[in-house]
Amino acid sequence: MSMFTGVSIVDGDKQSSCDTSAIYAGDADSGYHLLMVRGYLRTKEELPTGESARTGLFTMGGHDWYVEYYPNGINKDCADFISLDVTLLFDDDDDPFDMVVEAKVSFSLIDQVEKQNLMYICQVRKTSTFSSSAICWGCDKFVRRDALERSSDLKGDCFTIRCDIMVVRKDSKSQDALADMNQHFSNLLQTKVGADVTFEVSGERFAAHRCVLAARSKVFMAQLFGPMKETSTVIQIKDMEATVFRALLIFIYTDIFPLREEEIMEEDEMSGVMEEGQEDKPAKDEMTLQYLQNMFVAADRFDLQRLKFICEKRLSEHIGVSSVMYTLALAEQHQCQGLKEACLKFMQVQSPSCLQQVMATNGWDHVVSTYPSVLKEIIAKIALNRCK
């Protein structure tokens, strides 16, 4: 799991000064740092091409790093873009011939700092080698300034960038230990050693560890340790399938998105499930879609924002004529603007015959009766497309 290493704020109203609040992440190999730009237009005026605002140092993977923000590009070839650089700071005592660090670096725009919702655009990921002769790696053309200025990502003359760094260690023992971390937590869940809380979901019981749940979810933190914490021996979880809760626990313990129900259960023989090779593709697609929808609702219910984002992305990839309205209703109900936009864009480009099929679904009637304002947005999108 990525460690939060702190936040740096570039303030254009203070001559593009940069204040950094760093959190020591120690030897954690994977971490991220937030760079908030306030007063973006002032930073663009004050820092010409080639000049940057630099964050303070933050520690991750046992090394010190900093990020540089170039509002007018790092050189004249990218003067119309925002450029970003991440630099590894070598100590004077380091042997310049032995000190080589390999790391995966990515920059992403995020829309809500508190929820860490990564945007779909402007994400760059690369494995780079840092050494005394190559101490930095950057993205010269992170995003065009005019595109940023027209987008909703620039809110109140402010935007936020997330820099993720994952150090690739050459020490095989350390590498193996970190690779086994997810398996260790998975074993903890399966063996139930030290479990101190039990949940009952749809007639099934699940043993878990309060501290693990609370560390991953604010909802569980309040439920298990807050002023109104549950005191009963067995906590009831209503309106959720047992298979969904099982998958939710797998994600909480391993940070890995769990596969569909029949793939994550230890017993593959489930009553009512067709034998292998007999299940046709439409049925599989329907099961996958239902599973993603259930996981999306569960992630929102327990405030697991990364899981919710993964579900949102995968649901966006499974939008079809028969499912778009149900997915749209789900996005509206759970205030998921990204998924909602994906549904609206899907409908915007459909032919009249496909739109008639959409209107014939039960999902259409549900949205029209439950969320009438969404109908206006659909009509506006379609009308805009017809005018082009």
Side-chain angles (χ1 to χ4, degrees), residues 127-162:
T127 301
S128 304
T129 300
F130 295 83
S131 65
S132 58
S133 59
I135 62 172
C136 65
W137 176 85
C139 180
D140 293 349
K141 297 182 178 181
F142 176 64
V143 61
R144 287 188 64 94
R145 286 197 311 277
D146 57 356
L148 175 66
E149 291 164 12
R150 291 195 306 268
S151 73
S152 60
D153 303 313
L154 185 64
K155 300 175 181 177
D157 204 29
C158 303
F159 66 96
T160 302
I161 295 166
R162 170 169 162 161

Side-chain angles (χ1 to χ4, degrees), residues 10-284:
V10 176
D11 196 334
D13 294 331
K14 297 181 180 179
Q15 295 183 336
S16 298
S17 63
C18 187
D19 295 326
T20 298
S21 299
I23 298 173
Y24 180 70
D27 292 329
D29 275 358
S30 182
Y32 66 92
H33 192 81
L34 299 181
L35 172 61
M36 301 176 63
V37 179
R38 293 177 179 171
Y40 156 71
L41 294 178
R42 287 292 298 275
T43 68
K44 187 172 69 169
E45 294 172 0
E46 295 172 357
L47 297 171
T49 299
E51 293 190 18
S52 67
R54 193 174 95 172
T55 72
L57 295 178
F58 56 92
T59 303
M60 195 279 302
H63 303 285
D64 291 332
W65 309 78
Y66 63 84
V67 175
E68 290 183 277
Y69 157 70
Y70 297 82
N72 289 289
I74 195 170
N75 56 51
K76 63 179 182 180
D77 293 331
C78 48
D80 294 329
F81 293 80
I82 290 174
S83 300
L84 299 169
D85 256 354
V86 62
T87 299
L88 172 61
L89 186 68
F90 288 93
D91 294 333
D92 294 336
D93 297 334
D94 290 334
D95 188 328
F97 297 101
D98 291 340
M99 193 61 182
V100 175
V101 176
E102 292 186 355
K104 291 184 178 180
V105 179
S106 69
F107 292 111
S108 308
L109 282 174
I110 63 174
D111 64 347
Q112 293 186 52
V113 174
E114 297 84 359
K115 296 185 177 181
Q116 290 291 293
N117 289 336
L118 298 182
M119 302 300 292
Y120 294 121
I121 62 172
C122 302
Q123 187 168 17
V124 180
R125 189 175 298 277
K126 184 179 180 181
T127 301
S128 304
T129 300
F130 295 83
S131 65
S132 58
S133 59
I135 62 172
C136 65
W137 176 85
C139 180
D140 293 349
K141 297 182 178 181
F142 176 64
V143 61
R144 287 188 64 94
R145 286 197 311 277
D146 57 356
L148 175 66
E149 291 164 12
R150 291 195 306 268
S151 73
S152 60
D153 303 313
L154 185 64
K155 300 175 181 177
D157 204 29
C158 303
F159 66 96
T160 302
I161 295 166
R162 170 169 162 161
C163 174
D164 282 83
I165 302 174
M166 183 175 72
V167 173
V168 181
R169 291 188 181 276
K170 294 185 177 180
D171 182 344
S172 60
K173 291 183 179 180
S174 298
Q175 207 167 29
D176 290 343
L178 288 168
D180 289 342
M181 183 181 296
N182 287 346
Q183 187 60 49
H184 292 162
F185 274 92
S186 179
N187 290 341
L188 187 66
L189 176 63
Q190 292 177 14
T191 61
K192 305 178 179 60
V193 174
D196 56 1
V197 63
T198 301
F199 296 91
E200 184 170 308
V201 189
S202 298
E204 290 191 39
R205 292 196 172 189
F206 300 88
H209 305 77
R210 291 174 182 266
C211 288
V212 175
L213 301 181
R216 298 280 279 156
S217 164
K218 293 179 181 179
V219 174
F220 276 126
M221 175 66 82
Q223 186 177 24
L224 300 174
F225 294 102
M228 303 297 290
K229 65 181 179 182
E230 295 274 1
T231 56
S232 58
T233 306
V234 179
I235 298 175
Q236 303 285 335
I237 301 292
K238 299 180 180 179
D239 302 321
M240 182 176 293
E241 296 178 3
T243 51
V244 173
F245 190 76
R246 179 185 292 108
L248 195 76
L249 288 178
I250 290 175
F251 179 83
I252 288 174
Y253 276 75
T254 67
D255 205 44
I256 296 174
F257 184 79
L259 299 175
R260 279 201 298 132
E261 173 184 341
E262 63 270 22
E263 296 170 301
I264 63 173
M265 293 184 67
E266 293 181 357
E267 61 276 11
D268 291 327
E269 297 80 26
M270 296 171 54
S271 60
V273 175
M274 303 174 70
E275 293 183 0
E276 185 176 358
Q278 299 298 312
E279 189 180 22
D280 60 16
K281 189 176 186 300
K284 286 184 177 180

